Amino acid sequence: MKVQEIEELRALCEELNETTLVERIDSFVRLNEGLESKKGSEFIEVSLLGFAEGILVSLRRKHPENKKVSELLERVSERRAELDARFRKPKPPIFENLE
């Protein structure tokens, strides 16, 4: 499964010489690819983006001056939130008129 933000994160980690993170990213992607047929591609994409978001938060703390990290974190967070909203269960209508 190809997710553009994951590819960008991987390249950014290589640029920052964070080789252990590259290995972790590759491992997490492989692990989730096995679940794609059971859970669906969008569900797996949310999982991958959440993982990427966590890595980027750590990278931002470690490299606060790096604009690429901050920009990618912002994009990943927005995209994950959009996809995540699709999986939330709507509130039952019974609770709408209670005031």
Side-chain angles (χ1 to χ4, degrees):
M1 172 173 209
K2 292 279 186 185
V3 177
Q4 180 182 349
E5 292 85 355
I6 298 297
E7 298 298 321
E8 290 177 39
L9 174 59
R10 191 178 188 289
L12 182 58
C13 287
E14 287 176 349
E15 181 182 314
L16 296 171
N17 201 28
E18 297 283 351
T19 55
T20 57
L21 286 178
V22 173
E23 293 170 9
R24 303 271 190 275
I25 293 166
D26 291 344
S27 177
F28 192 77
V29 169
R30 279 192 306 274
L31 177 71
N32 278 277
E33 283 176 341
L35 300 173
E36 187 176 355
S37 63
K38 294 178 183 181
K39 297 284 188 175
S41 62
E42 285 184 337
F43 186 84
I44 299 304
E45 195 169 343
V46 169
S47 174
L48 292 173
L49 291 171
F51 179 73
E53 190 173 15
I55 289 176
L56 285 162
V57 167
S58 297
L59 285 174
R60 185 176 62 182
R61 288 184 184 143
K62 191 172 181 181
H63 304 279
E65 74 290 343
N66 193 310
K67 298 288 184 203
K68 290 181 184 180
V69 172
S70 298
E71 290 170 2
L72 185 55
L73 174 58
E74 186 176 322
R75 285 197 348 258
V76 165
S77 296
E78 288 174 6
R79 183 140 158 74
R80 187 205 45 80
E82 288 172 10
L83 287 172
D84 195 40
R86 294 182 191 174
F87 293 101
R88 286 197 196 128
K89 293 181 180 180
K91 290 182 181 177
I94 191 168
F95 296 115
E96 289 179 3
N97 294 328
L98 292 177
E99 293 180 3

